Amino acid sequence: MKFRLRIWRQAGPDAPGRFEEYVVDGISPNQSFLEMLDQLNEQLIAEGKDPVAFESDCREGICGMCGLTINGMPHGPRLRSTTCELRMRHFEDGSTITVEPFRADAFPVIKDLVVDRSAFDRIMAAGGYISVNTGSAPDANAIPIPKHIAEEAMDAAACIGCGACVAACPNASASLFVAAKIAHLSLLPQGHPERERRVLRMVEAMDKEGFGACSNHGECEAACPKGISIVNIARMRAEYRRAMAAAR
Ligand code: SF4
Ligand code: FES
């Protein structure tokens, strides 16, 4: 397969960015999108040019590092897929593919396709944890949890912190990410002692980082590679109201 790539190149956070075009040929349909970029980089290095900076780690859809906007869609056109899970057979042979970093004020570009997502880390540090000393691990099923609650908590816990929800949202809101973390922790008994403090701190941290407000577009859910539901955003709002009432 052969592709024309339009790739965002930006030397540093304050440098002006621009699209540059490259052609890659001899691409296997089974190659992943990142392997195709690896091939491009080998080509660029052989030509004495600066390779394209992009992030990846696990390449198995687990770590959330490989955030790219492909043809206008975070993680590309395939539903419920991270960029590393995307194969070149999902693209038309001979087509032009536009590759950009995730766009959001709260995710400043570091270089080319790499953005700084440490805002997510700071939101987690504000309250996305359980600090209660719970002692050694209890026997399985010592705390009975209804199946539907366990399932909902597991679904929310599937969030890999990739940031596609922010990039897809017209307001660059981080609500789906924050809601997933709050739901995951507050649904289970271990998360209850810090429930109110957690939601107040995390929502405050989210606002401070410069993410926009959620206005229910639903683009986040459509772009999320893990299928996190916007039901969690409603749950976060309910948790927030509950915490505000308790603080009075
Ligand atoms: S909610 Fe989905 S899109 Fe957003 S950070 Fe988590 S996994 Fe990524
Ligand atoms: S590289 Fe880890 S999710 Fe894609």
Side-chain angles (χ1 to χ4, degrees):
M1 300 177 92
K2 184 176 179 178
F3 297 97
R4 179 174 296 278
L5 304 171
R6 284 180 74 237
I7 300 189
W8 185 259
R9 302 303 309 261
Q10 186 170 337
D14 301 320
R18 75 213 167 274
F19 281 104
E20 280 190 6
E21 290 202 1
Y22 309 98
V23 174
V24 281
D25 203 352
I27 301 289
S28 158
N30 298 326
Q31 245 172 283
S32 76
F33 198 84
L34 299 185
E35 286 164 348
M36 182 277 294
L37 289 179
D38 290 338
Q39 186 168 322
L40 167 71
N41 277 345
E42 280 169 25
Q43 205 172 295
L44 292 177
I45 291 166
E47 290 166 8
K49 295 182 184 152
D50 192 23
V52 178
F54 65 92
E55 273 192 291
S56 74
D57 189 1
C58 70
R59 299 202 176 199
E60 289 183 341
I62 299 166
C63 72
M65 300 296 283
C66 59
L68 299 176
T69 303
I70 303 163
N71 288 343
M73 285 166 277
H75 292 300
R78 191 165 165 248
L79 206 62
R80 301 217 177 160
S81 170
T82 53
T83 302
C84 59
E85 294 171 305
L86 200 59
R87 303 277 144 186
M88 295 317 293
R89 61 174 171 269
H90 297 119
F91 296 87
E92 201 183 324
D93 190 15
S95 61
T96 299
I97 305 173
T98 302
V99 193
E100 300 166 75
F102 279 178
R103 306 277 190 193
D105 276 355
F107 289 167
V109 172
I110 296 173
K111 187 176 179 194
D112 297 336
L113 304 173
V114 180
V115 298
D116 179 358
R117 282 173 292 181
S118 57
F120 272 10
D121 298 335
R122 290 188 288 276
I123 294 171
M124 290 303 283
Y129 51 80
I130 292 171
S131 64
V132 183
N133 185 357
T134 52
S136 57
D139 286 342
N141 303 326
I143 308 170
I145 298 166
K147 186 164 181 348
H148 76 277
I149 299 284
E151 295 279 350
E152 284 167 21
M154 273 303 283
D155 288 349
C159 169
I160 55 173
C162 65
C165 45
V166 174
C169 174
N171 308 330
S173 168
S175 288
L176 194 64
F177 164 76
V178 178
K181 301 302 177 190
I182 286 169
H184 157 212
L185 293 168
S186 65
L187 278 165
L188 297 175
Q190 292 88 340
H192 283 192
E194 291 159 313
R195 196 170 165 182
E196 286 96 13
R197 197 176 76 177
R198 174 180 307 115
V199 66
L200 294 176
R201 286 190 180 177
M202 288 183 81
V203 168
E204 187 193 345
M206 167 172 74
D207 291 343
K208 208 170 110 195
E209 292 293 343
F211 293 103
C214 171
S215 47
N216 298 326
H217 281 265
E219 295 291 333
C220 52
E221 182 181 297
C224 176
K226 298 299 167 188
I228 307 286
S229 166
I230 51 173
V231 163
N232 289 300
I233 298 180
R235 187 173 279 133
M236 174 174 74
R237 288 175 176 149
E239 285 289 321
Y240 189 80
R241 281 195 299 273
R242 187 180 175 282
M244 289 297 278
R248 270 190 214 128

